[in-house]
């Protein structure tokens, strides 16, 4: 592959542009790249208030935190060892936009994400430009997926289906299916048939097969089967309790005590306490406790307890 585009996608985009039709590329992450890493010592700049690495935004040459809004100017040398050999890992909409401009220098490219639609009429401007065919290729995040009706979009490319499918959440597959089917619906909205290309390292993944055949019955049955086996909603109801505080020990002790007292009521239906994948946001440590409620147990009484 050249960059983040497979040969097939490049070929299809070229054909679509030759036919004077429009292309939408979907990548569910804004910024240029989510991690900046030093090739010498492996250090990457972190947010001082949250447990996340800073995302590189090229258009302002800064590193930003997508949780608390902290930002700093892009570092030229590694903050740990001083080496100038920095590398960016992963890719967001900015990087895709830049690659498209290099691959298709004649095409008019635009980007639609939280950064470009912050202005007062940012959103309307981009959509109007697309409708008036002033844009050939539009790169964007999930704000592209919902309810927009573009007559001349013939090709939709989903840049990386895997980062949605591998998200650590029991609803990840269901959400990916929804998103992909919705993005796909932006292509071919007139008599002409549209095309949808999904780039993935795992084309035989069930969800992707189900998206490509639009087989939501199978998707539903398979997901329900999983939920039934692992006791997740909608088979069991679920209450999630989050404790947060600036002092880690206090959260730790409180959550252990709280989970213990809940177990006296609900026994094994209490899971946790567990730190979420991002355990500190805005200088507060988080701990989660999950309570699963079987069908026959009264929800009101559980909440009361």
């Amino acid at each position: 592959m050249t960059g983040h585009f497979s040969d097939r996608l490049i070929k299809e985009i070229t054909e679509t542009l030759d036919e004077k039709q429009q292309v939408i590329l979907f990548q569910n992450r804004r910024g240029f790249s989510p991690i900046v890493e030093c090739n010498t010592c492996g250090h990457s700049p972190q947010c001082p208030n949250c447990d996340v690495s800073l995302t590189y935004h090229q258009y302002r040459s800064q590193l930003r935190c997508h949780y608390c809004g902290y930002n700093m100017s892009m570092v030229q040398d590694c903050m740990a060892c001083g080496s100038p050999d920095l590398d960016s890992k992963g890719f967001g909409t900015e990087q895709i936009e830049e690659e498209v401009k290099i691959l298709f220098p004649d095409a008019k490219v635009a980007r639609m994400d939280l950064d470009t639609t912050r202005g007062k009429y940012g959103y309307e401007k981009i959509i109007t430009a697309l409708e008036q065919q002033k844009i050939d290729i539009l790169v964007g995040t999930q704000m592209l997926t919902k309810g927009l009706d573009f007559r001349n979009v013939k090709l939709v490319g989903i840049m990386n289906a895997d980062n949605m499918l591998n998200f650590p959440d029991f609803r990840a597959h269901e959400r990916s299916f929804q998103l992909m089917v919705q993005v796909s619906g932006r292509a071919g909205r007139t008599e002409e048939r549209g095309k949808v290309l999904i780039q993935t390292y795992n084309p035989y993944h069930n969800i992707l097969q189900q998206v490509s055949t639009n087989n939501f019955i199978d998707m539903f049955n398979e997901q329900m089967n999983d939920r039934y086996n692992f006791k997740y909603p909608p088979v069991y109801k679920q209450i999630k309790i989050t404790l947060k505080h600036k002092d880690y020990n206090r959260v730790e002790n409180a959550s252990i005590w709280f989970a213990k007292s809940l177990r006296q009521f609900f026994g094994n239906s209490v899971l946790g306490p567990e730190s979420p994948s991002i355990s500190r946001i805005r200088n507060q440590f988080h701990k989660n406790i999950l309570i699963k409620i079987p069908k026959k147990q009264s929800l009101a009484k559980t909440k009361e307890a």
Side-chain angles (χ1 to χ4, degrees):
M1 277 171 67
T2 40
H4 298 108
F5 289 82
S6 56
D7 300 343
R8 174 80 193 274
L9 185 54
I10 293 175
K11 186 174 134 247
E12 297 282 355
I13 294 177
T14 314
E15 282 173 17
T16 310
L17 294 177
D18 291 345
E19 290 170 19
K20 296 280 178 280
Q21 301 278 11
Q22 293 164 304
V23 182
I24 284 181
L25 295 174
F26 170 71
Q27 163 61 8
N28 211 3
R29 184 178 269 150
R30 62 197 173 94
F32 186 83
S33 64
I35 301 169
V36 176
E37 194 176 80
C38 166
N39 284 335
T40 313
C41 72
H43 173 266
S44 65
Q46 303 285 321
C47 172
N49 314 315
C50 314
D51 267 345
V52 285
S53 59
L54 295 169
T55 303
Y56 173 40
H57 286 246
Q58 192 178 30
Y59 76 115
R60 286 206 181 139
S61 183
Q62 57 178 209
L63 295 165
R64 319 181 58 151
C65 170
H66 285 179
Y67 286 86
C68 68
Y70 172 85
N71 59 52
M72 58 185 274
S73 57
M74 175 62 184
V75 288
Q76 299 308 313
D77 304 319
C78 170
M79 294 157 81
C81 70
S83 154
D85 188 11
L86 296 175
D87 189 16
S88 58
K89 298 270 197 296
F91 60 102
T93 43
E94 277 187 23
Q95 194 164 338
I96 298 295
E97 179 190 28
E98 189 150 296
E99 276 187 31
V100 171
K101 283 178 177 163
I102 295 165
L103 288 168
F104 306 100
D106 304 334
K108 298 187 280 293
V109 185
R111 184 174 98 240
M112 183 159 140
D113 54 27
L114 207 61
D115 301 318
T116 56
T117 53
R118 280 226 168 100
K120 198 175 178 190
Y121 298 111
Y123 192 77
E124 285 90 342
K125 277 181 194 153
I126 296 172
I127 289 178
T128 319
L130 219 147
E131 279 171 346
Q132 294 169 353
Q133 296 203 302
K134 290 180 184 158
I135 297 174
D136 298 319
I137 302 176
L138 181 61
V139 182
T141 55
Q142 59 187 14
M143 51 169 75
L144 289 173
T145 59
K146 309 274 195 290
L148 300 174
D149 185 23
F150 303 125
R151 293 275 157 228
N152 297 304
V153 173
K154 193 169 174 219
L155 176 68
V156 166
I158 296 173
M159 298 305 298
N160 182 353
D162 302 312
N163 64 356
M164 295 190 288
L165 287 169
N166 300 334
F167 191 74
D169 179 358
F170 70 92
R171 289 196 182 93
H173 286 178
E174 175 193 350
R175 287 202 182 124
S176 314
F177 183 88
Q178 283 177 331
L179 259 178
M180 285 188 249
V181 169
Q182 266 176 330
V183 180
S184 314
R186 301 306 120 225
R189 291 180 79 91
T190 47
E191 282 72 60
E192 280 214 22
R193 289 194 64 175
K195 259 191 188 161
V196 183
L197 283 183
I198 301 179
Q199 293 194 148
T200 169
Y201 290 106
N202 183 3
Y204 299 108
H205 195 292
N206 275 351
I207 291 287
L208 297 173
Q209 293 295 326
Q210 287 153 1
V211 169
S212 56
T213 53
N214 201 12
N215 188 347
F216 53 88
I217 308 276
D218 273 12
M219 189 277 299
F220 173 80
N221 290 334
E222 192 183 314
Q223 294 303 313
M224 277 305 284
N225 193 23
D226 277 358
R227 304 282 174 91
Y228 184 81
N229 289 338
F230 301 118
K231 301 181 175 157
Y232 274 123
V235 184
Y236 273 44
K237 285 204 170 66
Q238 199 166 280
I239 296 179
K240 175 175 161 193
I241 301 167
T242 305
L243 295 95
K244 34 186 155 168
H245 195 275
K246 288 198 161 91
D247 178 0
Y248 177 77
N249 290 334
R250 189 172 271 197
V251 181
E252 176 80 356
N253 296 333
S255 57
I256 290 171
W257 174 86
F258 191 42
K260 225 180 226 165
S261 40
L262 285 171
R263 280 204 177 85
Q264 292 172 353
F265 279 97
F266 306 115
N268 289 338
S269 324
V270 181
L271 299 182
E274 190 59 63
S275 296
S277 51
I278 296 165
S279 57
R280 184 175 59 115
I281 294 176
R282 294 198 171 91
N283 273 325
Q284 290 193 319
F285 292 97
H286 288 218
K287 281 281 183 194
N288 289 340
I289 299 173
L290 268 186
I291 304 168
K292 290 184 176 178
I293 306 163
K295 272 278 196 286
K296 55 183 186 294
Q297 191 173 316
S298 151
L299 186 63
K301 289 218 167 99
T302 307
K303 284 182 177 169
E304 207 175 294

